[in-house]
Amino acid sequence: MAAAPQAPKRGSVRKTRPLVVKTSLNNPYVISWSTLEREDVHFILQTLEDKFKSIGLQKIEDKKKKKPFGKKQSCSPDVETSEGLKEEHDENVKVSGWTPTHVRKQLVIGVNEVTRALERNELLLVLVCKSVKPAVITSHMIQLSISRTVPACQVPQLSQRIAPVIGLKCMLALGFRKNTMDFAEEVRAIIPRVPSLHVPWLQDRTQDPKDRLETESLESRDKEILDTSFDDLTKASKRKAAEGGQAPATALQPLKIKKLIPNPHKIRKPPKSKKSISK
């Protein structure tokens, strides 16, 4: 025999919790460095490496061991002689710092130093290492370089190739100042190989000279039109029409105000009367 249908079980049915959904908007304007070609990468790294080696720019660090605290020094004659030998040895050791100081003043090394120089508009060229992690450390230089019309690019293996030549552990950013004399030829050779940057809300001013001339001519025309008065424009249009022999399709007419009428519906408050002073 067939089994009888069972009645539904009584009790509270557990309701499923609704999924928490958060609406988020992604930024449609993605800012990124333009990619360099392999030939340009090799050219930039080789020119910089050869130039730094020929100049001999080096950072010498003082590797003296600090004396431990808490130990008392005895005033024996043996100690005095050892101290004298140490002083003579220290005199022979090179002083810590950059060797040609005038060459170091022409360069800007490091992210913070390059950012300050870009804000002050003191640079001709900016090179950034591609192996920077996270990328936010150097992404702000894209907007700064475009606003200051400074060519900038991201070079792979910049820190690995150039930092040991100078005597540094790493070099995330490198900039060349406008007053540079020793690196003038290298900067002129590198700038044409640097690709232009693209930011949607900023105009790239580091473009071809033909485009610059076109934009400058258009801006000058707009300024001339704004500077000229309405009467001069009407006279010029009439002259063009007389020379061409054809009447203009639209003629602008000046506005003339005949009479100013105050608003009759405006509620005016009565003037405050001075209270009579009782004697």
Short mmCIF file of all heavy atoms in Angstrom, two decimals, residues 60-105:
data_model
loop_
_atom_site.label_atom_id
_atom_site.label_comp_id
_atom_site.label_asym_id
_atom_site.label_seq_id
_atom_site.Cartn_x
_atom_site.Cartn_y
_atom_site.Cartn_z
N ILE A 60 80.93 58.07 -0.47
CA ILE A 60 81.78 57.34 0.48
C ILE A 60 81.12 57.40 1.85
O ILE A 60 80.84 58.49 2.37
CB ILE A 60 83.19 57.94 0.52
CG1 ILE A 60 83.81 57.88 -0.88
CG2 ILE A 60 84.06 57.23 1.53
CD1 ILE A 60 85.05 58.72 -1.03
N GLU A 61 80.87 56.24 2.43
CA GLU A 61 80.26 56.16 3.75
C GLU A 61 81.31 55.88 4.80
O GLU A 61 82.26 55.12 4.57
CB GLU A 61 79.20 55.05 3.77
CG GLU A 61 78.02 55.33 2.87
CD GLU A 61 76.97 54.25 2.95
OE1 GLU A 61 77.22 53.27 3.69
OE2 GLU A 61 75.93 54.39 2.29
N ASP A 62 81.15 56.50 5.96
CA ASP A 62 82.08 56.31 7.08
C ASP A 62 81.71 55.02 7.79
O ASP A 62 80.64 54.90 8.39
CB ASP A 62 81.99 57.50 8.03
CG ASP A 62 83.13 57.50 9.04
OD1 ASP A 62 83.99 56.60 8.94
OD2 ASP A 62 83.16 58.39 9.90
N LYS A 63 82.59 54.03 7.72
CA LYS A 63 82.32 52.71 8.30
C LYS A 63 83.00 52.51 9.65
O LYS A 63 83.38 51.40 10.02
CB LYS A 63 82.78 51.62 7.34
CG LYS A 63 82.03 51.62 6.03
CD LYS A 63 82.50 50.51 5.12
CE LYS A 63 81.73 50.53 3.81
NZ LYS A 63 82.18 49.46 2.90
N LYS A 64 83.18 53.59 10.38
CA LYS A 64 83.78 53.48 11.72
C LYS A 64 82.79 52.83 12.68
O LYS A 64 81.61 53.14 12.67
CB LYS A 64 84.16 54.86 12.25
CG LYS A 64 85.25 55.54 11.44
CD LYS A 64 85.52 56.91 12.03
CE LYS A 64 86.56 57.66 11.21
NZ LYS A 64 86.77 59.02 11.76
N LYS A 65 83.30 51.96 13.53
CA LYS A 65 82.46 51.32 14.53
C LYS A 65 82.30 52.23 15.73
O LYS A 65 83.27 52.80 16.22
CB LYS A 65 83.08 49.99 14.98
CG LYS A 65 83.09 48.94 13.88
CD LYS A 65 83.67 47.63 14.40
CE LYS A 65 83.65 46.56 13.32
NZ LYS A 65 84.22 45.29 13.81
N LYS A 66 81.06 52.39 16.15
CA LYS A 66 80.80 53.23 17.31
C LYS A 66 81.31 52.56 18.58
O LYS A 66 81.19 51.36 18.75
CB LYS A 66 79.30 53.50 17.43
CG LYS A 66 78.75 54.32 16.26
CD LYS A 66 77.27 54.59 16.45
CE LYS A 66 76.73 55.39 15.30
NZ LYS A 66 75.29 55.66 15.47
N LYS A 67 81.85 53.38 19.47
CA LYS A 67 82.36 52.85 20.73
C LYS A 67 81.21 52.44 21.62
O LYS A 67 80.22 53.16 21.74
CB LYS A 67 83.20 53.91 21.43
CG LYS A 67 84.45 54.29 20.64
CD LYS A 67 85.23 55.36 21.36
CE LYS A 67 86.47 55.76 20.56
NZ LYS A 67 87.23 56.83 21.23
N PRO A 68 81.31 51.27 22.27
CA PRO A 68 80.20 50.83 23.14
C PRO A 68 80.10 51.71 24.37
O PRO A 68 81.10 52.18 24.92
CB PRO A 68 80.60 49.39 23.51
CG PRO A 68 82.08 49.34 23.33
CD PRO A 68 82.40 50.29 22.22
N PHE A 69 78.84 51.92 24.80
CA PHE A 69 78.59 52.75 25.96
C PHE A 69 78.76 51.93 27.24
O PHE A 69 78.56 50.73 27.26
CB PHE A 69 77.17 53.33 25.91
CG PHE A 69 76.96 54.28 24.76
CD1 PHE A 69 76.33 53.86 23.61
CD2 PHE A 69 77.41 55.59 24.85
CE1 PHE A 69 76.13 54.72 22.56
CE2 PHE A 69 77.21 56.46 23.80
CZ PHE A 69 76.58 56.03 22.65
N GLY A 70 79.11 52.61 28.32
CA GLY A 70 79.20 51.98 29.64
C GLY A 70 80.59 51.51 30.01
O GLY A 70 80.85 51.22 31.17
N LYS A 71 81.51 51.39 29.06
CA LYS A 71 82.86 50.94 29.38
C LYS A 71 83.76 52.13 29.67
O LYS A 71 83.82 53.08 28.90
CB LYS A 71 83.44 50.13 28.21
CG LYS A 71 82.75 48.79 28.01
CD LYS A 71 83.45 48.00 26.93
CE LYS A 71 82.80 46.63 26.75
NZ LYS A 71 83.49 45.84 25.70
N LYS A 72 84.47 52.04 30.79
CA LYS A 72 85.38 53.11 31.19
C LYS A 72 86.72 52.92 30.50
O LYS A 72 87.21 51.81 30.36
CB LYS A 72 85.55 53.11 32.71
CG LYS A 72 84.27 53.44 33.46
CD LYS A 72 84.53 53.46 34.94
CE LYS A 72 83.26 53.81 35.70
NZ LYS A 72 83.49 53.82 37.15
N GLN A 73 87.31 54.04 30.08
CA GLN A 73 88.60 54.00 29.40
C GLN A 73 89.71 54.29 30.40
O GLN A 73 89.63 55.25 31.16
CB GLN A 73 88.63 55.03 28.26
CG GLN A 73 87.63 54.72 27.15
CD GLN A 73 87.70 55.77 26.06
OE1 GLN A 73 88.43 56.74 26.20
NE2 GLN A 73 86.94 55.56 25.01
N SER A 74 90.73 53.45 30.39
CA SER A 74 91.87 53.65 31.30
C SER A 74 92.85 54.64 30.67
O SER A 74 92.99 54.71 29.46
CB SER A 74 92.58 52.31 31.56
OG SER A 74 93.03 51.78 30.34
N CYS A 75 93.54 55.40 31.51
CA CYS A 75 94.48 56.43 31.06
C CYS A 75 95.91 55.92 31.09
O CYS A 75 96.82 56.56 31.62
CB CYS A 75 94.35 57.68 31.94
SG CYS A 75 92.72 58.44 31.86
N SER A 76 96.14 54.72 30.58
CA SER A 76 97.49 54.15 30.57
C SER A 76 98.25 54.67 29.35
O SER A 76 97.64 55.10 28.36
CB SER A 76 97.39 52.62 30.53
OG SER A 76 96.71 52.22 29.37
N PRO A 77 99.59 54.65 29.36
CA PRO A 77 100.37 55.13 28.20
C PRO A 77 100.15 54.28 26.96
O PRO A 77 100.26 54.77 25.84
CB PRO A 77 101.82 55.03 28.69
CG PRO A 77 101.78 54.08 29.84
CD PRO A 77 100.46 54.24 30.48
N ASP A 78 99.85 52.95 27.14
CA ASP A 78 99.61 52.10 25.97
C ASP A 78 98.38 52.58 25.21
O ASP A 78 98.35 52.58 23.97
CB ASP A 78 99.42 50.65 26.41
CG ASP A 78 100.67 50.11 27.09
OD1 ASP A 78 101.76 50.62 26.75
OD2 ASP A 78 100.54 49.20 27.93
N VAL A 79 97.35 53.01 25.95
CA VAL A 79 96.12 53.48 25.32
C VAL A 79 96.38 54.77 24.55
O VAL A 79 95.87 55.01 23.46
CB VAL A 79 95.02 53.68 26.39
CG1 VAL A 79 93.79 54.32 25.77
CG2 VAL A 79 94.66 52.36 27.03
N GLU A 80 97.22 55.66 25.11
CA GLU A 80 97.53 56.92 24.44
C GLU A 80 98.23 56.67 23.11
O GLU A 80 97.94 57.32 22.10
CB GLU A 80 98.39 57.78 25.35
CG GLU A 80 97.64 58.29 26.58
CD GLU A 80 98.54 59.09 27.49
OE1 GLU A 80 99.73 59.21 27.15
OE2 GLU A 80 98.06 59.60 28.52
N THR A 81 99.17 55.73 23.08
CA THR A 81 99.87 55.44 21.83
C THR A 81 98.92 54.84 20.80
O THR A 81 98.98 55.17 19.61
CB THR A 81 101.02 54.46 22.10
OG1 THR A 81 100.49 53.31 22.78
CG2 THR A 81 102.09 55.11 22.95
N SER A 82 98.00 53.97 21.25
CA SER A 82 97.05 53.38 20.31
C SER A 82 96.10 54.44 19.75
O SER A 82 95.74 54.42 18.58
CB SER A 82 96.26 52.27 21.00
OG SER A 82 95.50 52.80 22.07
N GLU A 83 95.71 55.40 20.61
CA GLU A 83 94.84 56.47 20.14
C GLU A 83 95.54 57.34 19.11
O GLU A 83 94.96 57.78 18.12
CB GLU A 83 94.37 57.33 21.32
CG GLU A 83 93.31 56.62 22.18
CD GLU A 83 92.90 57.48 23.34
OE1 GLU A 83 93.49 58.58 23.50
OE2 GLU A 83 91.99 57.08 24.09
N GLY A 84 96.84 57.59 19.31
CA GLY A 84 97.59 58.37 18.34
C GLY A 84 97.69 57.68 16.99
O GLY A 84 97.57 58.31 15.94
N LEU A 85 97.88 56.34 17.02
CA LEU A 85 97.92 55.59 15.76
C LEU A 85 96.57 55.62 15.06
O LEU A 85 96.50 55.72 13.82
CB LEU A 85 98.33 54.14 16.04
CG LEU A 85 99.77 53.94 16.53
CD1 LEU A 85 99.96 52.51 17.00
CD2 LEU A 85 100.77 54.27 15.41
N LYS A 86 95.49 55.55 15.81
CA LYS A 86 94.15 55.59 15.23
C LYS A 86 93.90 56.94 14.55
O LYS A 86 93.32 57.03 13.47
CB LYS A 86 93.09 55.35 16.31
CG LYS A 86 92.97 53.89 16.70
CD LYS A 86 91.89 53.72 17.74
CE LYS A 86 91.79 52.25 18.18
NZ LYS A 86 90.75 52.10 19.23
N GLU A 87 94.33 58.03 15.19
CA GLU A 87 94.13 59.36 14.61
C GLU A 87 94.90 59.50 13.30
O GLU A 87 94.39 60.06 12.32
CB GLU A 87 94.58 60.43 15.60
CG GLU A 87 93.64 60.56 16.80
CD GLU A 87 94.14 61.58 17.81
OE1 GLU A 87 95.24 62.14 17.56
OE2 GLU A 87 93.46 61.83 18.81
N GLU A 88 96.13 58.96 13.26
CA GLU A 88 96.90 59.03 12.01
C GLU A 88 96.23 58.19 10.91
O GLU A 88 96.20 58.57 9.75
CB GLU A 88 98.32 58.51 12.25
CG GLU A 88 99.14 59.44 13.13
CD GLU A 88 100.52 58.87 13.42
OE1 GLU A 88 100.77 57.73 12.95
OE2 GLU A 88 101.31 59.53 14.10
N HIS A 89 95.68 57.03 11.32
CA HIS A 89 95.00 56.18 10.35
C HIS A 89 93.73 56.84 9.83
O HIS A 89 93.40 56.75 8.64
CB HIS A 89 94.66 54.83 11.00
CG HIS A 89 93.94 53.90 10.06
ND1 HIS A 89 94.56 53.34 8.96
CD2 HIS A 89 92.65 53.46 10.06
CE1 HIS A 89 93.69 52.58 8.32
NE2 HIS A 89 92.53 52.62 8.96
N ASP A 90 92.98 57.55 10.70
CA ASP A 90 91.75 58.23 10.30
C ASP A 90 92.04 59.38 9.34
O ASP A 90 91.22 59.71 8.48
CB ASP A 90 91.00 58.76 11.53
CG ASP A 90 90.47 57.61 12.39
OD1 ASP A 90 90.35 56.49 11.85
OD2 ASP A 90 90.21 57.85 13.58
N GLU A 91 93.18 60.03 9.48
CA GLU A 91 93.53 61.12 8.58
C GLU A 91 93.74 60.60 7.16
O GLU A 91 93.43 61.27 6.18
CB GLU A 91 94.78 61.83 9.08
CG GLU A 91 94.54 62.66 10.33
CD GLU A 91 95.82 63.30 10.84
OE1 GLU A 91 96.88 63.04 10.23
OE2 GLU A 91 95.76 64.05 11.83
N ASN A 92 94.29 59.39 7.03
CA ASN A 92 94.52 58.81 5.71
C ASN A 92 93.21 58.36 5.04
O ASN A 92 93.12 58.32 3.82
CB ASN A 92 95.47 57.62 5.80
CG ASN A 92 96.85 58.06 6.28
OD1 ASN A 92 97.29 59.16 5.99
ND2 ASN A 92 97.53 57.20 7.03
N VAL A 93 92.19 58.01 5.87
CA VAL A 93 90.91 57.56 5.32
C VAL A 93 90.18 58.75 4.70
O VAL A 93 90.23 59.87 5.20
CB VAL A 93 90.06 56.91 6.43
CG1 VAL A 93 88.67 56.54 5.90
CG2 VAL A 93 90.76 55.68 6.97
N LYS A 94 89.48 58.50 3.58
CA LYS A 94 88.75 59.56 2.89
C LYS A 94 87.55 60.01 3.72
O LYS A 94 86.93 59.23 4.43
CB LYS A 94 88.27 59.06 1.53
CG LYS A 94 89.41 58.77 0.57
CD LYS A 94 88.86 58.30 -0.76
CE LYS A 94 89.99 57.99 -1.73
NZ LYS A 94 89.47 57.50 -3.04
N VAL A 95 87.22 61.28 3.58
CA VAL A 95 86.09 61.84 4.30
C VAL A 95 84.81 61.33 3.68
O VAL A 95 84.68 61.22 2.46
CB VAL A 95 86.14 63.38 4.25
CG1 VAL A 95 84.99 63.99 5.06
CG2 VAL A 95 87.48 63.88 4.77
N SER A 96 83.80 61.02 4.53
CA SER A 96 82.54 60.49 4.03
C SER A 96 81.77 61.58 3.30
O SER A 96 81.80 62.75 3.66
CB SER A 96 81.71 59.94 5.18
OG SER A 96 81.41 60.98 6.10
N GLY A 97 81.05 61.18 2.25
CA GLY A 97 80.26 62.12 1.46
C GLY A 97 80.46 61.88 -0.03
O GLY A 97 81.06 60.89 -0.45
N TRP A 98 79.93 62.79 -0.84
CA TRP A 98 80.06 62.70 -2.29
C TRP A 98 81.39 63.31 -2.72
O TRP A 98 81.76 64.40 -2.28
CB TRP A 98 78.91 63.42 -2.97
CG TRP A 98 77.58 62.77 -2.73
CD1 TRP A 98 76.69 63.07 -1.74
CD2 TRP A 98 77.00 61.71 -3.47
NE1 TRP A 98 75.59 62.27 -1.82
CE2 TRP A 98 75.75 61.42 -2.88
CE3 TRP A 98 77.41 60.97 -4.57
CZ2 TRP A 98 74.91 60.42 -3.37
CZ3 TRP A 98 76.57 59.98 -5.07
CH2 TRP A 98 75.33 59.71 -4.46
N THR A 99 82.07 62.60 -3.62
CA THR A 99 83.42 63.04 -4.00
C THR A 99 83.42 64.34 -4.81
O THR A 99 83.92 65.34 -4.31
CB THR A 99 84.16 61.91 -4.75
OG1 THR A 99 83.30 61.36 -5.75
CG2 THR A 99 84.55 60.81 -3.80
N PRO A 100 82.87 64.41 -6.04
CA PRO A 100 82.78 65.73 -6.68
C PRO A 100 81.47 66.40 -6.27
O PRO A 100 80.40 66.05 -6.76
CB PRO A 100 82.80 65.43 -8.18
CG PRO A 100 83.00 63.95 -8.31
CD PRO A 100 82.55 63.36 -7.02
N THR A 101 81.56 67.34 -5.36
CA THR A 101 80.34 67.97 -4.83
C THR A 101 79.62 68.78 -5.90
O THR A 101 78.40 68.88 -5.89
CB THR A 101 80.69 68.87 -3.64
OG1 THR A 101 81.72 69.80 -4.05
CG2 THR A 101 81.19 68.06 -2.47
N HIS A 102 80.37 69.38 -6.83
CA HIS A 102 79.73 70.20 -7.87
C HIS A 102 78.90 69.33 -8.82
O HIS A 102 77.88 69.79 -9.35
CB HIS A 102 80.78 70.99 -8.65
CG HIS A 102 81.67 70.14 -9.51
ND1 HIS A 102 82.75 69.42 -8.99
CD2 HIS A 102 81.64 69.87 -10.85
CE1 HIS A 102 83.35 68.77 -9.97
NE2 HIS A 102 82.70 69.02 -11.10
N VAL A 103 79.31 68.07 -9.01
CA VAL A 103 78.53 67.16 -9.86
C VAL A 103 77.26 66.71 -9.13
O VAL A 103 76.19 66.60 -9.73
CB VAL A 103 79.38 65.95 -10.28
CG1 VAL A 103 78.55 64.95 -11.07
CG2 VAL A 103 80.57 66.40 -11.10
N ARG A 104 77.38 66.46 -7.83
CA ARG A 104 76.21 66.03 -7.04
C ARG A 104 75.15 67.12 -6.99
O ARG A 104 73.94 66.82 -6.96
CB ARG A 104 76.67 65.66 -5.62
CG ARG A 104 75.53 65.28 -4.66
CD ARG A 104 74.80 64.05 -5.17
NE ARG A 104 73.71 63.68 -4.28
CZ ARG A 104 72.48 64.16 -4.36
NH1 ARG A 104 72.18 65.04 -5.32
NH2 ARG A 104 71.54 63.75 -3.53
N LYS A 105 75.54 68.39 -7.01
CA LYS A 105 74.57 69.48 -6.97
C LYS A 105 73.76 69.59 -8.26
O LYS A 105 72.69 70.20 -8.27
CB LYS A 105 75.29 70.80 -6.71
CG LYS A 105 75.83 70.92 -5.30
CD LYS A 105 76.58 72.22 -5.10
CE LYS A 105 77.16 72.31 -3.69
NZ LYS A 105 77.94 73.57 -3.51
#
